[in-house]
Amino acid sequence: MTSPLNIVILAAGKGTRMHSDLPKVLHPLAGKPLLEHVLDMARVLKPAKLCVVYGYGGDALPQAIQGDDIAWALQAEQLGTGHALQQAMPHLDTNGVTLVLYGDVPLTRQDTLQRLLGHAGSDGMAVLTVALSDPTGYGRIVRDNAGRVTRIVEQKDASDVEKKINEVNTGIIAAPTEKLVRWLAQLSNNNAQGEYYLTDTIAMAVAQGVPVATAHPHHEWEVLGVNSKLQLAELERIYQRNYASTLAGLGVTIMDPARLDVRGALSCGRDVVIDVNCVFEGQVTLGDNVAIGANCVLKNVTVATGTRIQPFTHIEEAQIGADCRIGPFSRIRPGTALASDAHIGNFVEIKNSQIGTGSKVNHLSYVGDATVGNKVNIGAGTITCNYDGANKYRTVIEDEVFIGSATQLVAPVTVGRGATIGAGSTITRDAPAGELTISRIKQLTIAGWQRPVKKPKGE
Ligand code: UD1
Ligand code: CA
């Protein structure tokens, strides 16, 4: 492609059937707004100009979507796709080709768009079409006896014979920009919907002897749009299935490709195993031989080689070392770093803490704002009391400390290297290295004490 490429994304429509206050193209697919998917696929084609036509929802779109490369064109009233594209024209390079995409058609592949642009060349028109078993609702591709495209007729304007045509307009069209400007200016809204149809430019091209080619996607899902929450959910499954196929193709063992959700990017080493119903958000990196149990949620996490994460574990903004054992039912919160061979067990919450090599927090504990050394054993039910209701303080637990069960460590506090804390202690001052520290009331027995007995009823 030598002539400059303009890409216009039509996104001014309301999306009535979404029944939502959020503009349709801001609804997320795989954790990212529909429009971002379309922008990302547009950018791969390296357009000279990238323009989004917006309207419904006002400034919500330009506010939600970042990008210095985007020219925003306001279509104040939604008078049809032709009128929408007209609003973009002042932002474009006049001497190139213009590719029209829809903000609610998120899964078109790069090779399909490149094929379409190839068919258009520098001076022709090309329409991405697809044959559907049920074409209802779409614009139909009308061809002459020689098979050449003559025009597109919308469902509401189509004759009974035309309604039987099953080749439809996907809406994705490439056209020479200079001619497009003139055609758009000539559109009328004298049709069943009273709209300015972009599709009417096809007949104009044919009348002027401009060749109109067609290209087709490899997969039907590439041209599926979102008009309802059900269609959004269906496209989500297609996206996720494709993502799972790619991972499996790279050697990742995915127990059920239909039960994987990646909302961001998941990168995996060799011999990674992922059990069912896991959700990966943001950037997640799993090293070689990592195993993720069923029903885990990982967001912006790096997991090093050989670590096993057992079912129902939730990890967010954390770095997990090699050969760790985590879960089942662990929660690891932002700012946490586990060194290698750490064990975090069931019903344990770790927040903003460093846990050293070979250290264990196996049962029912809260470790927050703590620096834990190597080979530390934190007994069941231990709590770092890191918050006094106003400020947060750190707990420091040095190497080879043993914390007895049901201990509270009232921060700021330091437990010295090799110290032992007796079970049930409330530690409010620093505990010296190498010693046993214990704070617990002495056990008492009241001899001969009687349990109260229930009084008989009615007295
Ligand atoms: C349009 C095509 C139809 C095609 C179908 C594919 C026309 C006249 N018809 O139909 O041939 O089969 O798409 O889905 O082009 N939009 C605006 N401003 C407007 C109207 C629409 O920005 O004034 C945007 C919408 O946000 C959407 C896209 O254009 O992203 C298509 O609009 P939609 O109403 O879905 O198109 P249809 O009329 O159904
Ligand atoms: Ca539509």
Side-chain angles (χ1 to χ4, degrees):
M1 188 76 33
T2 46
S3 50
L5 174 64
N6 299 302
I7 298 184
V8 179
I9 301 172
L10 303 186
K14 183 171 178 202
T16 312
R17 281 186 282 153
M18 296 297 276
H19 299 291
S20 169
D21 292 336
L22 193 65
K24 178 163 72 175
V25 297
L26 292 184
H27 283 266
L29 178 96
K32 190 167 83 174
L34 290 169
L35 181 56
E36 292 273 21
H37 286 268
V38 183
L39 283 164
D40 287 349
M41 79 199 188
R43 285 179 179 125
V44 173
L45 299 170
K46 304 216 181 319
K49 293 282 155 56
L50 178 57
C51 180
V52 178
V53 182
Y54 72 107
Y56 179 77
D59 285 338
L61 253 59
Q63 272 162 18
I65 305 287
Q66 309 295 315
D68 295 340
D69 56 343
I70 304 170
W72 294 94
L74 176 66
Q75 185 195 24
E77 261 188 296
Q78 281 71 68
L79 303 179
T81 50
H83 178 260
L85 184 57
Q86 213 173 8
Q87 312 312 305
M89 300 322 279
H91 298 278
L92 307 183
D93 270 351
T94 47
N95 57 343
V97 169
T98 294
L99 172 66
V100 179
L101 303 175
Y102 285 180
D104 54 3
V105 179
L107 300 183
T108 320
R109 285 172 37 158
Q110 184 194 347
D111 60 311
T112 297
L113 295 176
Q114 255 150 359
R115 225 169 30 252
L116 182 80
L117 290 169
H119 282 53
S122 58
D123 214 32
M125 202 163 181
V127 183
L128 191 67
T129 75
V130 67
L132 297 180
S133 48
D134 178 12
T136 311
Y138 290 90
R140 309 296 207 283
I141 308 297
V142 182
R143 293 176 183 268
D144 65 14
N145 290 337
R148 286 177 302 233
V149 175
T150 56
R151 63 193 181 99
I152 295 177
V153 62
E154 292 303 302
Q155 166 86 24
K156 287 184 177 146
D157 302 287
S159 67
D160 287 346
V161 175
E162 287 164 341
K163 280 187 186 129
K164 292 207 170 73
I165 300 170
N166 69 351
E167 185 186 18
V168 307
N169 171 31
T170 63
I172 298 177
I173 288 177
T177 310
E178 220 174 349
K179 295 196 174 79
L180 196 55
V181 175
R182 280 187 275 121
W183 296 335
L184 291 174
Q186 290 164 29
L187 288 178
S188 96
N189 64 352
N190 184 17
N191 53 50
Q193 300 185 82
E195 286 183 6
Y196 296 91
Y197 292 163
L198 169 57
T199 45
D200 283 350
T201 60
I202 305 297
M204 293 176 181
V206 171
Q208 289 181 19
V210 173
V212 179
T214 53
H216 318 288
H218 285 305
H219 313 275
E220 204 176 294
W221 48 255
E222 291 185 60
V223 296
L224 294 179
V226 172
N227 294 303
S228 66
K229 288 288 173 72
L230 182 60
Q231 287 171 344
L232 180 62
E234 284 165 354
L235 282 196
E236 177 81 30
R237 286 340 303 161
I238 291 164
Y239 176 96
Q240 297 300 346
R241 178 72 199 206
N242 290 345
Y243 208 105
S245 306
T246 303
L247 288 176
L250 294 169
V252 180
T253 301
I254 295 167
M255 300 313 288
D256 183 357
R259 284 182 287 170
L260 174 78
D261 285 85
V262 181
R263 300 172 192 157
L266 172 61
S267 106
C268 297
R270 288 177 81 80
D271 297 305
V272 166
V273 178
I274 300 172
D275 210 334
V276 300
N277 291 335
C278 291
V279 179
F280 299 92
E281 296 178 66
Q283 296 283 328
V284 176
T285 303
L286 307 179
D288 296 346
N289 292 301
V290 165
I292 310 289
N295 300 294
C296 289
V297 178
L298 274 66
K299 180 176 184 181
N300 295 323
V301 175
T302 302
V303 183
T305 307
T307 285
R308 311 192 86 74
I309 296 174
Q310 300 188 80
F312 297 97
T313 291
H314 187 278
I315 308 180
E316 193 176 346
E317 319 276 349
Q319 298 210 336
I320 309 298
D323 300 313
C324 290
R325 297 287 172 274
I326 301 172
F329 299 99
S330 300
R331 179 171 182 211
I332 298 183
R333 293 172 50 199
T336 296
L338 304 188
S340 57
D341 204 26
H343 292 201
I344 307 299
N346 41 223
F347 309 109
V348 171
E349 176 180 347
I350 313 269
K351 187 212 78 172
N352 190 29
S353 295
Q354 290 77 50
I355 308 290
T357 303
S359 290
K360 295 176 182 161
V361 192
N362 273 331
H363 327 272
L364 298 156
S365 291
Y366 172 62
V367 176
D369 301 312
T371 304
V372 177
N374 303 327
K375 292 191 184 156
V376 168
N377 194 314
I378 295 182
T382 296
I383 308 282
T384 54
C385 309
N386 58 328
Y387 185 50
D388 62 8
N391 296 298
K392 300 228 166 100
Y393 300 97
R394 284 197 82 79
T395 298
V396 177
I397 301 172
E398 294 180 354
D399 294 349
E400 291 171 34
V401 161
F402 181 97
I403 310 271
S405 296
T407 290
Q408 299 100 53
L409 298 156
V410 182
V413 73
T414 296
V415 181
R417 185 190 172 100
T420 300
I421 304 295
S425 292
T426 301
I427 301 298
T428 55
R429 283 173 284 130
D430 291 355
E435 306 286 358
L436 170 66
T437 298
I438 192 162
S439 83
R440 170 203 292 166
I441 59 163
K442 284 229 163 70
Q443 189 165 318
L444 187 74
T445 301
I446 298 173
W449 180 80
Q450 297 284 324
R451 280 191 201 167
V453 285
K454 216 170 192 168
K455 289 178 188 151
K457 274 195 179 145
E459 287 189 15

